[in-house]
Amino acid sequence: MPSSTRKREVGRGERILPGVWRLRLPLPWPGVPHCNAWAVAAGDGIVLFDTGLHEPGSFANLERALAQVNLKVEHVRLLVCTHAHSDHYGQAATIVERTGCELWMHPNHDHMLQAARDPDAALDRRVEVARQSGVPDEPLRRYSEARRGQGYGIAGIIEPDRDLVPGIDVHTDLGTWQVFETPGHAPSHVCLYQEERRILISGDHLLGRVSLYYDYGYSPDPAGEFLHSLDLVQELDARLCLSGHGRTFTDVQAHINANRTLVRERLGKVEEVIRAEPGITAYEAIPKVYGAAITALNANWWLSETLSYLRHLEVTGRLERIDGTPERWAVAS
Ligand SMILES: [Zn+2]
Ligand SMILES: [Zn+2]
């Protein structure tokens, strides 16, 4: 169907609890049709958790979602971002400009802010990682050409007014939300927890369906960090999860277990693949790990994920890398 006749998704708002609203905002990404921002009543206004992606028409979608629950952008007293990915932080600059509110976000946001400040350097670095991982020159050149000059889905580069770290509390009519650092999906990731009501704002750390993604290259061991973050969130014993995509869910423990199981499975698979064929590259390992061919759509995602597992198996002493260009992997001696 030509895109002009395809029904365009629009922003939608719904009340989840008294004083908590889900703002469902469309995304232009295949397989990820929308993301959530969460509005929570606070005095004469709201605290807004996350923003939606910035693209033409995106701000109108946020306004429309708010209007459906009788709110306006002008009600935002504080903007809190769970992490610096474009679908959670993209409209921060516009919201702050419109309202004069503060932005609170974790300080490990280089994976977005630094990359957006110097996109060419970020792309060069990414291409270099891919080359080292064994991605052949031709697809790499095509990727690089397609990616260069593309935007980041953010309205502007805006630094947080306050570093969102443990010890910082977010006050709302539902009570205080505590900050928990949950890196793995992204180095800047935090979850917010309302202890008395046992409600977790989980960003992309926990989603309704298990979907593993890691920002590789900005921290020592993204997969290990993610596993640690799952342990941390398990301790909270949340009974309602407001996640960054999809519907709310209550079986939080089952979701934590499902994530952990899939990470363990993939780690096991990556190790098995290297054991069976020592000396292969990350790129060569990917189709064997996933049992499917690499395509332009999945290449980036699967490479980051596979590299994160290889790295975790390296730091835990299971595998070792054989230096060279490209890098190859073997069982640790
Ligand atoms: Zn994310
Ligand atoms: Zn997201």
Side-chain angles (χ1 to χ4, degrees), residues 170-202:
V170 177
H171 299 287
T172 68
D173 291 358
L174 270 79
T176 299
W177 299 74
Q178 292 171 284
V179 176
F180 293 87
E181 289 174 315
T182 49
H185 172 82
S188 58
H189 205 292
V190 301
C191 290
L192 295 120
Y193 188 54
Q194 211 299 310
E195 195 174 12
E196 291 77 27
R197 295 167 193 264
R198 294 168 59 198
I199 305 175
L200 184 74
I201 294 178
S202 67

Side-chain angles (χ1 to χ4, degrees), residues 83-88 185-186 189 203-204 213 245:
H83 62 299
H85 282 163
S86 55
D87 47 334
H88 302 262
H185 172 82
H189 205 292
D204 286 349
Y213 175 86
H245 303 261

Side-chain angles (χ1 to χ4, degrees), residues 216-246:
Y216 179 81
Y218 293 93
S219 65
D221 175 15
E225 289 149 27
F226 181 65
L227 287 170
H228 183 264
S229 297
L230 289 174
D231 293 346
L232 188 107
V233 167
Q234 178 168 330
E235 290 291 308
L236 301 177
D237 199 21
R239 67 175 171 195
L240 175 65
C241 192
L242 315 180
S243 65
H245 303 261

Side-chain angles (χ1 to χ4, degrees), residues 13 20 29-30 37 39 47 59 63 73 78 80 119 129 141 149 164 183 208 213 220 251 258 269 280-281 292:
V20 180
W29 300 339
V47 175
F59 201 73
E63 290 182 308
V73 174
L78 171 64
V80 173
V129 168
R141 195 188 56 75
L164 195 61
Y213 175 86
D251 49 349
K269 189 72 194 166
I280 64 171
T281 65

